[in-house]
Amino acid sequence: VAHAGRTVGRLGEGDWDGKVSEIKKKIKSILPGTSCDLLPDTSHLPPEHSDVVIVGGGVLGLSVAYWLKKLESRRGGIRVLVVEQDYTYSQASTGLSVGGICQQFSLPENIQLSLFSASFLRNINEYLAVTSAPPLDLRFNPSGYLLLASEKDAAAMESNVKVQKQEGAKVCLMSPDQLRNKFPWINTEGVALASYGMENEGWFDPWCLLQGLRQKVESMGVFFCQGEVTRFVSSSQRMLTTDDEMVILKRIHEVHVKMDHSLEYQPVECAIVINAAGAWSAQIAALAGIGKGPPGTLQGTKLPVEPRKRYVYVWHCPQGPGLETPLVADTSGAYFRREGLGSNYLGGRSPTEEEEPDPANLEVDHDFFQEKVWPHLALRVPAFETLKVQTAWAGYYDYNTFDQNGVVGPHPLVVNMYFATGFSGHGLQQAPGVGRAVAEMILEGSFQTIDLSPFLFNRFYLGEKTQENNIM
Amino acid sequence: MLKMVFSTIMLLPMTWFSKNNMIWINLTTHGLIISLIPLLFFNQTNSNLINCSAHLSSDPLTTPLLMLTAWLLPLMIMASQYHLHNESPSRKKLYLSMMIFLQISLIMTFMATELILFYILFETTLIPTLIIITRWGIQAERLNAGTYFLFYTLTGSLPLLIMLLYIYNDLGSLNIMFLTLTAQKLTSTWSHNLLWLACMMAFMVKMPLYGLHLWLPKAHVEAPIAGSMVLAAVLLKLGGYGMMRLTPILDPLTEYMAYPFLMLSLWGMIMTSSICLRQTDLKSLIAYSSVSHMALVIVASLIQTPWSFTGAIILMIAHGLTSSMLFCLANSNYERTHSRIMMLSRGLQTLLPLMAFWWFMANLTNLALPPTINLMGELLVVTTSFSWSHITIMFTGLNMLITALYSLHMYITTQRGPLTHHITNIKPSFTRENMLMFMHLSPIILLSLNPSIIMGLTP
């Protein structure tokens, strides 16, 4: 009988013994008493289904998540997943930001957004209260912004201030004499006019806002996941527009989230994707197929957001300006503000197009300070001739190369991708307002409180710039 | 009777031997042909059973439910076509075999003459449903849902088995006809009270009664479309059918033993309807609405007057068709937007007007609009419960109001209002989907013209 088994095997009927042992192993694994690992453990992966997936967990992404949860009419209504590729936020623009908030913009929408943010930040403990956590201390320093204008920019500054006053910002114009009176440390050479924000302007701690949002949003039931979005699975359909043109409309229905340091990924089924990826927004948009088409068409219009590196330097100067110093933005583009109570200041300057540093890493170029920033600072504030640089860091602007203003709202062709990115350095201060606008767009279908239609994606294709003139 | 049972059994080899592109056509066509057979049982001039065999028969209580079950199989097959089209042929065939196996058990459950046969098949229906929910469901929570579903029903029905065996020992036969003739009046001792409880609990869990309904939202939400349809339309009615079969032998205990369950049902009606007002998930809303409608059926079955039984049967058929239609509509929405949330797909009337019409009709029948059979059933139940006790009209009236509220809310949120931007490119309605909705709606409308055929044991 023992021979018969081997004979059967030799007849080529397959590995009978192997099959039997496999079946035995399977039965053993199902029997109680042994660990049943028939189903792999997926607790570290994001959920398989989420109604809204927010790509990017910085202040803009969390703000959108917060307002989505706040404005939904039933609690627990929408499932939101926030995907952030780096939990330490080491390269995210939010944490590396200077943290200023001002209403001195030329565009009314920007002014309204900053005004709303100011009231949000003032009442932050009502908005972001979590029962088990202590109240937030934003360390809001309401010292205001001081923008200086030379002869040729004076007229523009006057009209800007008019718009700002119309929108409700508390800004006043100052002549060089008034400047010298109020701020004795300033050298008004080359300054024709200055605008000084008296209320709702200043700087605050961006980490605190981020952590506060993070806590609140988690308590509202938003799922968090650390991972990288590697793929969008979408379905497309050809449709005819009213002018009988053929367009291909796409709809993302699955997001592949890849885990850190592994090849594992989780396909998350979703209805809406929000691109709040900051400096990396263009990559996410390219994954969704935005910009893949002949240039000059709507399909070929890429998202014009790219990372631009900006340096921030911290220096110590004991004879420097006093405690009431606002954030001063010089005519040359250099800016500085106080940092804390110990005669420390931080500041920097936006490089010109030719001087743009390479955004591949966040290394600091100290020569830039020596050659390009210090001379202007020393000119404007003579006390700064004897400053001592203590430290410096670099962060990314999610720079909108088209018109340096944010992109908000849905994409016309990839119909369920919403943008909340490209704010070119003022994203942090406009985050609450933008988050609310995107949430309103999703839940109600249109902007309800602040109309951000000049910030829609269509303007890149139509060539209509909504230029913001007061970028630092 | 064999013409039904054997034809349905033969659907199994047809599934496995069909060519891959002919599976759906074959099964749907043959399912429709088989669904013509219960029409033969409708013409019953007296209340004797159509005694087709010693084991399987069909009486005016069974026939409408049988018709519903047989009609539902081709509808389930049509509804599953989209979400299965990416799977391998053998997995598709496995899914369809599960549905057909479920169908066989359901047909035989409704036609069983002997209560033990009924019980065995009652339990058999759990297995293919569990497999459909856990293997083809959508999310990771489906395992939890399957476990809840299985263990709630099993725990409820194990005492029933013991009681059936005891009654068999006592009476000598569990044939339904004999039971109505030879049942002795029970006395109100502890053991007889427990007997009453044990017999009824299985069906209470299945209906479901308000306190034992936890499995239903989970199972309905996590199941794939065919699973949701069969759960809502037929499996819940097994509970009602079982209660109506067993109450003749449980007289006169029902008069006072039924009080807690009646109270729970009346209260649960309002509770679950109110939960529906707060729901954001469409499938969850329809699942809770099922609990609410079934609570009315429980009230009717426990009051035990001829009108209330009639109302129960009509309500069961009407609710089966309506609930199944609502699940199909929710599924067509889900397949397009990949989200079950109501507020993320608004203003669909501008995009899909014909589907909006089906939504409208489904919501109208859900809120029991006259002259549909939904209203007939509800009206009979409300009337009989009023005559049983005047105070119940508060509960049933309030329930009708809240049902109307959430049905209209569901309709207005999904269909009316401005269109959301992110659903502008969904696929237009398929003919298959429109056909599915029509096949759900036309029996409701036709039965509204002649509801006497589903009125059950009383003419």
Side-chain angles (χ1 to χ4, degrees):
Chain A
V1 173
H3 292 290
R6 261 177 273 146
T7 315
V8 170
R10 245 184 271 137
L11 279 175
E13 284 211 353
D15 180 20
W16 179 253
D17 284 339
K19 280 199 193 133
V20 169
S21 66
E22 245 179 78
I23 296 177
K24 270 192 184 164
K25 261 194 238 160
K26 248 194 183 161
I27 295 177
K28 264 210 186 124
S29 75
I30 299 178
L31 284 177
T34 54
S35 71
C36 175
D37 41 26
L38 288 171
L39 284 171
D41 174 25
T42 57
S43 48
H44 57 286
L45 293 173
E48 285 174 23
H49 172 89
S50 170
D51 300 307
V52 179
V53 173
I54 302 182
V55 181
V59 69
L60 271 175
L62 290 181
S63 172
V64 175
Y66 169 73
W67 283 104
L68 269 176
K69 277 304 200 177
K70 188 142 155 73
L71 291 179
E72 66 184 4
S73 46
R74 305 239 145 107
R75 205 183 325 164
I78 306 194
R79 287 169 76 142
V80 182
L81 171 72
V82 176
V83 180
E84 166 60 44
Q85 67 179 0
D86 180 10
Y87 262 173
T88 60
Y89 291 99
S90 56
Q91 295 191 323
S93 312
T94 309
L96 301 165
S97 155
V98 162
I101 171 169
C102 82
Q103 280 90 44
Q104 298 185 39
F105 293 106
S106 55
L107 222 58
E109 284 84 13
N110 275 337
I111 304 171
Q112 286 168 16
L113 283 172
S114 285
L115 276 173
F116 174 70
S117 298
S119 81
F120 183 88
L121 293 175
R122 273 190 198 286
N123 299 320
I124 195 162
N125 281 312
E126 282 163 29
Y127 283 104
L128 300 186
V130 179
T131 47
S132 56
L136 295 170
D137 176 21
L138 272 184
R139 281 177 280 175
F140 185 51
N141 214 316
S143 301
Y145 267 50
L146 181 71
L147 266 60
L148 304 172
S150 56
E151 270 301 332
K152 59 182 179 68
D153 300 325
M157 175 173 273
E158 241 190 277
S159 58
N160 284 348
V161 169
K162 205 144 137 218
V163 176
Q164 288 153 23
K165 282 193 178 153
Q166 254 179 343
E167 293 296 330
K170 307 266 196 308
V171 186
C172 70
L173 286 167
M174 293 172 90
S175 67
D177 292 319
Q178 287 170 316
L179 268 183
R180 274 192 296 271
N181 240 350
K182 191 157 170 67
F183 304 117
W185 37 264
I186 206 169
N187 168 17
T188 55
E189 178 188 332
V191 174
L193 196 58
S195 67
Y196 179 47
M198 295 179 292
E199 237 186 68
N200 288 336
E201 294 192 356
W203 54 90
F204 61 96
D205 180 13
W207 271 113
C208 183
L209 178 62
L210 189 66
Q211 292 308 317
L213 273 173
R214 174 78 190 264
Q215 248 173 219
K216 178 69 176 174
V217 149
E218 263 189 33
S219 79
M220 284 167 135
V222 169
F223 297 102
F224 271 90
C225 151
Q226 174 169 6
E228 192 191 328
V229 170
T230 46
R231 189 170 168 219
F232 290 120
V233 177
S234 47
S235 60
S236 33
Q237 215 183 338
R238 314 191 101 123
M239 300 181 109
L240 288 178
T241 61
T242 43
D243 313 318
D244 273 340
E245 272 172 45
M246 178 81 72
V247 274
I248 300 185
L249 293 181
K250 271 170 107 159
R251 192 190 167 73
I252 302 173
H253 59 80
E254 217 173 65
V255 179
H256 284 191
V257 178
K258 181 177 104 65
M259 295 293 112
D260 241 8
H261 303 300
S262 87
L263 285 177
E264 219 183 345
Y265 72 91
Q266 167 79 296
V268 179
E269 192 185 18
C270 62
I272 296 179
V273 175
I274 299 183
N275 185 352
W280 299 271
S281 311
Q283 289 169 21
I284 301 291
L287 276 179
I290 295 175
K292 291 209 177 86
T297 59
L298 188 53
Q299 294 93 304
T301 317
K302 297 196 210 295
L303 178 70
V305 172
E306 58 178 49
R308 293 275 175 100
K309 188 158 75 162
R310 294 287 178 266
Y311 304 114
V312 179
Y313 304 92
V314 182
W315 62 87
H316 177 79
C317 182
Q319 293 92 26
L323 287 176
E324 230 191 77
T325 313
L327 195 152
V328 181
D330 189 31
T331 49
S332 58
Y335 66 92
F336 73 92
R337 68 161 169 90
R338 274 198 80 99
E339 170 70 17
L341 298 168
S343 299
N344 292 322
Y345 301 84
L346 62 82
R349 179 168 177 247
S350 289
T352 56
E353 287 289 335
E354 303 83 43
E355 300 162 353
E356 274 299 335
D358 177 24
N361 55 27
L362 286 179
E363 302 270 315
V364 181
D365 181 8
H366 295 278
D367 296 327
F368 184 75
F369 184 74
Q370 292 289 118
E371 294 158 26
K372 301 283 164 45
V373 188
W374 197 2
H376 301 285
L377 288 176
L379 176 64
R380 191 56 60 205
V381 183
F384 279 161
E385 290 191 1
T386 55
L387 61 79
K388 251 196 159 65
V389 175
Q390 297 205 312
T391 173
W393 68 79
Y396 289 122
Y397 273 14
D398 46 343
Y399 193 80
N400 182 348
T401 49
F402 188 70
D403 57 8
Q404 289 88 53
N405 258 321
V407 192
V408 176
H411 188 272
L413 293 180
V414 182
V415 295
N416 60 348
M417 172 172 264
Y418 287 78
F419 294 104
T421 179
F423 280 91
S424 319
H426 48 261
L428 175 65
Q429 59 181 282
Q430 297 183 329
V434 169
R436 189 173 60 168
V438 174
E440 284 167 356
M441 193 76 183
I442 293 176
L443 293 174
E444 325 257 343
S446 59
F447 297 120
Q448 309 280 45
T449 41
I450 304 179
D451 184 17
L452 295 182
S453 13
F455 289 174
L456 289 173
F457 187 90
N458 279 327
R459 70 188 200 267
F460 301 135
Y461 170 58
L462 298 170
E464 299 163 356
K465 293 194 181 196
T466 44
Q467 195 76 34
E468 172 58 55
N469 300 320
N470 288 354
I471 298 292
M472 276 181 288
Chain B
M1 209 55 57
L2 280 183
K3 53 184 174 286
M4 266 201 92
V5 177
F6 253 121
S7 334
T8 321
I9 294 178
M10 282 301 138
L11 284 179
L12 278 173
M14 169 154 34
T15 324
W16 286 96
F17 291 142
S18 291
K19 278 197 289 192
N20 286 345
N21 55 349
M22 290 292 285
I23 310 177
W24 302 106
I25 302 175
N26 277 340
L27 280 178
T28 319
T29 323
H30 286 87
L32 283 170
I33 295 175
I34 295 177
S35 72
L36 293 175
I37 300 176
L39 289 173
L40 300 169
F41 306 146
F42 270 119
N43 188 16
Q44 299 188 1
T45 45
N46 51 25
S47 58
N48 285 334
L49 306 175
I50 290 191
N51 217 344
C52 308
S53 83
H55 310 286
L56 303 173
S57 68
S58 172
D59 80 342
L61 169 57
T62 304
T63 313
L65 291 166
L66 199 57
M67 184 72 229
L68 180 65
T69 316
W71 186 243
L72 213 71
L73 179 68
L75 266 51
M76 288 200 289
I77 297 175
M78 284 206 292
S80 312
Q81 270 184 273
Y82 182 80
H83 78 91
L84 284 181
H85 76 279
N86 271 335
E87 305 217 6
S88 67
S90 56
R91 272 195 79 156
K92 267 193 255 201
K93 291 178 180 174
L94 196 58
Y95 187 77
L96 292 168
S97 318
M98 285 298 121
M99 287 208 289
I100 296 169
F101 178 36
L102 179 60
Q103 181 77 350
I104 300 169
S105 341
L106 279 171
I107 292 177
M108 300 208 329
T109 316
F110 283 125
M111 294 203 294
T113 50
E114 168 104 48
L115 281 182
I116 293 283
L117 181 63
F118 167 76
Y119 177 80
I120 294 174
L121 293 161
F122 181 78
E123 298 297 310
T124 317
T125 59
L126 290 181
I127 298 174
T129 320
L130 180 69
I131 297 179
I132 291 178
I133 295 179
T134 50
R135 199 170 176 199
W136 279 278
I138 315 160
Q139 297 174 210
E141 287 88 4
R142 64 188 189 271
L143 300 172
N144 203 8
T147 314
Y148 261 72
F149 165 67
L150 182 69
F151 284 105
Y152 261 77
T153 320
L154 276 182
T155 317
S157 56
L158 194 57
L160 174 65
L161 175 64
I162 302 176
M163 284 308 136
L164 285 178
L165 293 175
Y166 166 76
I167 297 173
Y168 179 73
N169 232 357
D170 203 25
L171 292 180
S173 161
L174 278 175
N175 195 318
I176 297 176
M177 283 196 295
F178 292 166
L179 284 180
T180 50
L181 298 172
T182 64
Q184 299 159 329
K185 292 229 177 259
L186 295 175
T187 51
S188 72
T189 58
W190 268 107
S191 54
H192 281 159
N193 284 345
L194 277 176
L195 185 146
W196 191 96
L197 261 182
C199 288
M200 284 300 181
M201 282 323 277
F203 306 117
M204 295 293 179
V205 170
K206 203 75 177 162
M207 285 299 275
L209 182 66
Y210 174 60
L212 305 164
H213 69 290
L214 283 182
W215 63 270
L216 188 122
K218 287 191 209 281
H220 270 125
V221 168
E222 307 299 332
I225 179 61
S228 292
M229 283 169 76
V230 77
L231 262 174
V234 187
L235 287 176
L236 266 53
K237 315 323 185 240
L238 277 179
Y241 173 74
M243 278 216 288
M244 290 203 261
R245 281 287 181 228
L246 278 183
T247 40
I249 62 170
L250 296 173
D251 257 345
L253 289 180
T254 318
E255 272 172 57
Y256 59 87
M257 285 295 292
Y259 268 110
F261 300 103
L262 272 167
M263 295 308 124
L264 266 177
S265 296
L266 288 169
W267 185 237
M269 256 195 271
I270 302 182
M271 281 287 107
T272 43
S273 302
S274 315
I275 293 177
C276 285
L277 285 173
R278 273 192 52 92
Q279 282 296 330
T280 47
D281 183 342
L282 205 49
K283 266 183 121 171
S284 197
L285 196 152
I286 305 170
Y288 275 107
S289 120
S290 280
V291 181
S292 168
H293 287 278
M294 282 293 114
L296 271 172
V297 176
I298 298 182
V299 168
S301 315
L302 290 175
I303 294 180
Q304 295 187 304
T305 67
W307 266 20
S308 80
F309 276 161
T310 309
I313 302 171
I314 302 183
L315 197 51
M316 285 201 282
I317 305 298
H319 171 257
L321 287 165
T322 308
S323 217
S324 177
M325 187 173 180
L326 281 170
F327 272 115
C328 288
L329 287 167
N331 185 57
S332 77
N333 225 359
Y334 171 74
E335 282 169 4
R336 287 175 170 75
T337 56
H338 291 274
S339 162
R340 294 198 302 263
I341 305 288
M342 270 197 295
M343 65 175 103
L344 285 182
S345 52
R346 305 186 301 270
L348 285 173
Q349 187 164 18
T350 33
L351 278 183
L352 306 171
L354 185 53
M355 199 52 85
F357 172 67
W358 302 126
W359 269 103
F360 189 49
M361 295 309 293
N363 279 308
L364 286 183
T365 51
N366 197 24
L367 58 90
L369 188 80
T372 59
I373 43 175
N374 302 64
L375 179 77
M376 306 286 164
E378 279 202 31
L379 208 54
L380 286 168
V381 176
V382 169
T383 319
T384 50
S385 73
F386 178 69
S387 89
W388 175 76
S389 157
H390 292 318
I391 306 181
T392 58
I393 193 86
M394 284 184 352
F395 295 95
T396 46
L398 190 60
N399 179 51
M400 286 186 85
L401 171 68
I402 304 182
T403 308
L405 281 176
Y406 69 71
S407 297
L408 285 177
H409 168 76
M410 176 168 43
Y411 177 63
I412 292 177
T413 316
T414 50
Q415 306 301 121
R416 298 295 169 90
L419 192 53
T420 43
H421 179 270
H422 52 263
I423 51 173
T424 40
N425 77 331
I426 53 179
K427 295 197 172 74
S429 312
F430 302 127
T431 311
R432 172 184 62 86
E433 289 172 346
N434 285 327
M435 185 65 188
L436 198 58
M437 306 312 161
F438 174 70
M439 285 171 76
H440 273 111
L441 190 64
S442 53
I444 299 182
I445 296 183
L446 291 174
L447 282 172
S448 310
L449 297 174
N450 184 15
S452 60
I453 53 176
I454 54 170
M455 275 195 175
L457 293 162
T458 47

